[in-house]
């Protein structure tokens, strides 16, 4: 069952991380993630405004990275792995700081549009689900804070893009760089699903992890509507327009 598989997740995850072999899907996913961040930072610096950007999505992602990458202080896997983790943490924190505190960008951030209650409807439910599944899988005797936080990060990442997608739907047109940033964020997770499947079928000892698959697929499906309109706009050479909420 799912919960029996969760009970063995801690050792399984540590064994998988020891190998962390590179493949085309993982590399493409990481590069897509890096590119999405660079595009957003470029957009903020060039346009000097934060219209259409959700700082709440980045606050969720920062919480995802902080809870997932605590192993930076306990384990070393590779220089590549460590550099990527630090890059994601630092760049996400930089985006939040830029939007919330740097002028003139700060005054262009529209709090009224970025109104999704992320602590109430994303963080709290994901924390509760993570705690319940961890206890059902491991019990109090094998309670592991690091494993609990990792599980929480998996659930939270699945819904972290929601505030950004909601903000985009409240604008008639999506600025080009903003659209590219969201597209590459979605492509990153889709490529990582292929990475997990590839590794499970080619690496000895690497097994399918259905909780991770479910969260990855859910996260990718949230982008489906955006992907459709993004590809449609690019194929016609026009501006990206999403259905607006009334």
């Amino acid at each position: 069952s799912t919960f029996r598989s969760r009970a063995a997740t801690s050792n399984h995850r540590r064994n998988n991380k020891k190998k962390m072999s590179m493949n085309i899907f993982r590399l493409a996913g990481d590069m897509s993630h890096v590119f999405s961040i660079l595009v957003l930072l470029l957009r903020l610096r060039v346009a000097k405004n934060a219209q259409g950007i959700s700082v709440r999505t980045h606050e969720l992602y920062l919480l995802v990275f902080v809870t997932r990458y605590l192993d930076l202080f306990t384990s070393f896997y590779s220089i590549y792995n460590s550099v990527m983790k630090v890059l994601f943490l630092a760049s996400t924190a930089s985006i939040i700081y830029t939007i919330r505190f740097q002028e003139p960008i700060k005054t262009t951030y529209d709090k009224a549009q970025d109104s999704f209650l992320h602590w109430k409807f994303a963080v709290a439910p994901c924390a509760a689900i993570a705690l319940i599944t961890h206890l059902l899988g491991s019990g109090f005797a094998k309670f592991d804070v690091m494993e609990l936080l990792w599980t929480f990060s998996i659930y939270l990442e699945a819904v972290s893009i929601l505030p950004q997608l909601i903000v985009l739907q409240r604008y008639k047109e999506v600025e080009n760089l903003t659209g590219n940033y969201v597209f590459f964020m979605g492509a990153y997770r889709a490529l990582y699903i292929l990475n997990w499947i590839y590794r499970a079928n080619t690496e000895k000892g690497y097994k399918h992890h259905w909780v991770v698959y479910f969260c990855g697929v859910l996260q990718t499906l949230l982008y489906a509507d955006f992907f459709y309109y993004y590809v449609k706009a690019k194929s016609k050479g026009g501006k990206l327009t999403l259905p607006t909420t009334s």
Side-chain angles (χ1 to χ4, degrees), residues 221-233:
L221 287 176
L222 289 177
Y223 287 90
D225 192 55
F226 173 86
F227 282 157
Y228 171 77
Y229 289 102
Y230 179 88
V231 172
K232 184 179 178 181

Side-chain angles (χ1 to χ4, degrees), residues 10 13-21 26 68-82 85 146:
S10 183
R13 182 166 65 90
R14 280 192 285 267
N15 290 336
N16 286 341
K17 277 196 166 187
K18 286 177 183 177
K19 301 183 79 171
M20 272 290 185
S21 64
R26 182 188 172 200
R68 183 176 301 171
Y69 298 155
L70 288 173
D71 59 357
L72 275 169
F73 301 102
T74 61
S75 306
F76 176 79
Y77 302 107
S78 69
I79 294 176
Y80 176 88
N81 184 270
S82 297
K85 289 177 179 179
M146 291 281 284

Side-chain angles (χ1 to χ4, degrees), residues 89-231:
L89 284 164
S91 58
T92 305
S94 174
I95 290 168
I96 295 169
Y97 176 81
T98 299
I99 296 174
R100 287 211 177 272
F101 302 108
Q102 281 196 350
E103 294 289 5
I105 297 172
K106 173 185 174 181
T107 55
T108 65
Y109 167 60
D110 193 345
K111 294 180 181 179
Q113 299 296 336
D114 192 16
S115 58
F116 181 77
L117 301 177
H118 57 328
W119 298 106
K120 183 177 181 180
F121 294 119
V123 176
C126 289
I129 294 170
L131 179 61
I132 291 170
T133 55
H134 183 65
L135 288 176
L136 287 173
S138 302
F140 287 102
K142 296 183 179 179
F143 187 85
D144 185 333
V145 174
M146 291 281 284
E147 184 63 25
L148 172 62
L149 292 174
W150 179 84
T151 304
F152 165 72
S153 77
I154 294 297
Y155 289 131
L156 185 60
E157 186 177 13
V159 296
S160 289
I161 198 62
L162 269 178
Q164 179 63 71
L165 295 177
I166 291 170
V167 167
L168 291 183
Q169 287 188 331
R170 289 175 175 173
Y171 285 83
K172 184 177 180 180
E173 292 184 344
V174 179
E175 193 271 337
N176 186 49
L177 287 176
T178 304
N180 291 338
Y181 138 68
V182 175
F183 174 80
F184 283 105
M185 279 296 289
Y188 138 72
R189 183 47 71 187
L191 287 164
Y192 250 72
I193 294 174
L194 297 177
N195 163 59
W196 297 328
I197 295 172
Y198 177 83
R199 292 183 66 187
N201 286 283
T202 59
E203 288 185 27
K204 186 178 180 181
Y206 192 98
K207 298 179 181 179
H208 295 288
H209 192 309
W210 302 111
V211 171
V212 173
Y213 283 169
F214 172 79
C215 291
V217 170
L218 173 62
Q219 184 178 350
T220 304
L221 287 176
L222 289 177
Y223 287 90
D225 192 55
F226 173 86
F227 282 157
Y228 171 77
Y229 289 102
Y230 179 88
V231 172

